[in-house]
Amino acid sequence: MTTAKITAADIKTHGLSNDEYKKILEVLGREPNLVELGIFSVMWSEHCSYKSSKKWLKTLPTTAPWVICGPGENAGVIDIGEGLAAIFKMESHNHPSFIEPYQGAATGVGGILRDVFTMGARPIANMNALRFGSPDHPKTRHLVSGVVAGIAGYGNCVGVPTVGGEVNFHASYNGNILVNAMTVGLAKQDKIFYSAAAGAGNPVVYVGSKTGRDGIHGATMASAEFDANSEEKRPTVQVGDPFTEKLLIEACMELMATDAIQSIQDMGAAGLTSSSFEMASKGGMGVELEMEKVPQREEGMTPYEMMLSESQERMLIILKPGKEDIARAIFEKWELDFAVIGHLTTTGRMILKFHGEVVCDLPIDPLAQASPEYDRPWTPTRRQSILEAKDVKDVAWPEALKTLIGCPDLASRKWVYEQYDHMVMADTCQRPGGDAAVVRIHGSNRGLAISTDVTPRYVLADPLEGGKQAVAETWRNITAVGGRPLAITDNLNFGNPQKPEIMGQIVEAIKGIGEACKGLDYPVISGNVSLYNETDGNPIMPTPAIGGVGLIDNLDTMMTVPFKAEKEIILLAGQAGGGWLGQSLYLREICGQEKGAPPPVDLLHERRVGDFVRSMIHGKKLTACHDLSDGGLMVALAEMALSGDVGCELKNVAGHARLFGEDQGRYVLTVKTSDLAGVKAAATAANVALEEIGATGGTAIALNGASVALADLRKLHEGWFPGYMARPA
């Protein structure tokens, strides 16, 4: 094995510190060659090793009686009864999507789909959480257009419905957008596949698309800050083919119906390197690969390029002995590449050969398990003082509501989600736009409720409370449709962890997430960390996106947002205090300020109110339900009125803090007059505050002698996004 001298420039180019290179020398007892250096660089990248965050991720609650598999596999797995499991995960494709928005977003969808179906689950729903820069920034519309088209192009073609998500804007994302993709799948509990390799001599099989030069060093690129030259990183963005992905799903499902597979892993970040090292490490095995046997899309590819390529639609499978012909026949039927490229050994080492010459000889565990783990210095975020309502400008509620309902963060997302096929597979029970998406468990009357959420301005002001709120918000969204929240996946998007103030955001947000998960009995079963989200030293707002999944046992009880009829009673459940305006959208959009402490999250209150609301939904006592979040009470009421095309007249509420405050743990409910007494009695028994605030009816929202017509609100609400995207360049 020849070894060229590794230079200081090589070390820097591969994103390794001098101390990390010294550790490499200690592990090997010699200098690495370039292939080996490349493998170390991706395996020890932030994107693959979580070296700055894993100390804190270990503190998260990950177990519950219904958790079948927590973090550590391709995706998390929960028991949903009747012999079935829900398998889900959320991952980021932030850096690639900024550089090349269409392919970056498309391959983000493709990658998360593979994480789910590699475990034996048929994907049934896609979600996303998108953050863009200021609408006035010259690149924002281009990025929105490309990302939405990429998500639609891939998800629609592969035939998995995109059923919901988030789209928000803030100047902190001007140079570094966030594209977080989530997939949920279903599997039989006795047909779940894992990635730990076993069986010396078992064949290592490559299936799917051929390997090209796209995506080389993608994981390393995703572990570094952007600068003025980031546009030059286009070659590190992968290119996706959803039609091939569809074939790959069907071929894998067909093979999984046999007994041929010992273990299976998708080739995601770091491609063939991460999949082979992780499978071998989990099983305590060694691997020997013959690199010339890897199916190649381009001529003259080197082992370095093949190991680091992040070409899409590829899987690595360890077959049971003698099953090669069965597997080959299936993949050839689906017109996909199939190649036996090596075998397992008992050496615990990765041996790569190229035309008979050993080009890499590395110990597996030090790369896969013993990667650096940093306890980086961190400083707590300085807490902001509570903002009193009297210190916030009080604007007449009709004008404030009209401003908020048509602002970029609250305007209708129809322009976005109408580009997604959210009805394919014919099991979508709630279309985008509600509190949570609902997808039927095929062939049953049960469903999964799915939500993604985070409020970055809360996290920036107080990472602990903001982390708690992100978890509680998804729990509340699932509850509002009648779901029983079961577990979350997280996608922790932050700036440079080498800055103590950024590391402090990470630490405290994880603590907040952990507190909420424990308090709500809502464990973390999978996730992703995306760091170095900053450009020229300007970090994004801390954005720990949370994806939640819950179970609806009877879809006949599923609840929705719209007002259903006139003369129904409107109730406010869980009112706690007089209205919290700190870090609210009212403060930002009406007063032009982003300041104050965010609303605190009382987890005991959250659970008590949510359990009460869910019990009323299951008892068919409610006609509509909507949780309160951005914009507070008046925005929630406007959304219910607009979606049902039924107005309302309010009473007993006044003042900007009461109307637009963002206090947590609250829901707007509607009930028929005949059910009012029973619901009030149940609230009293549950120790839940319940206030009658008005009734449905008419074609406007009316309060204290003033009113706003629904037609005017609708024009503002539904007009912003199409108008923005139609502006001339």
Side-chain angles (χ1 to χ4, degrees), residues 493-509:
N493 307 275
F494 292 87
N496 184 344
Q498 296 177 53
K499 297 178 179 178
E501 66 275 17
I502 300 295
M503 195 65 218
Q505 294 173 350
I506 297 168
V507 171
E508 293 188 297

Side-chain angles (χ1 to χ4, degrees), residues 499-573:
K499 297 178 179 178
E501 66 275 17
I502 300 295
M503 195 65 218
Q505 294 173 350
I506 297 168
V507 171
E508 293 188 297
I510 290 173
K511 287 182 177 180
I513 291 168
E515 284 185 23
C517 289
K518 290 172 186 172
L520 299 173
D521 208 9
Y522 191 37
V524 184
I525 63 163
S526 61
N528 172 247
V529 177
S530 174
L531 305 183
Y532 296 95
N533 287 291
E534 50 185 271
T535 300
D536 294 328
N538 298 312
I540 62 164
M541 285 201 293
T543 311
I546 303 296
V549 172
L551 181 66
I552 300 177
D553 291 308
N554 179 1
L555 286 171
D556 293 339
T557 66
M558 180 186 74
M559 188 49 56
T560 57
V561 165
F563 288 152
K564 304 300 187 301
E566 300 207 350
K567 297 182 180 179
E568 293 189 340
I569 307 302
I570 303 172
L571 302 171
L572 175 60

Side-chain angles (χ1 to χ4, degrees), residues 582-598:
Q583 296 299 332
S584 67
L585 277 188
Y586 178 94
L587 185 70
R588 191 181 83 190
E589 298 296 325
I590 306 300
C591 306
Q593 299 174 326
E594 297 181 65
K595 67 179 184 179

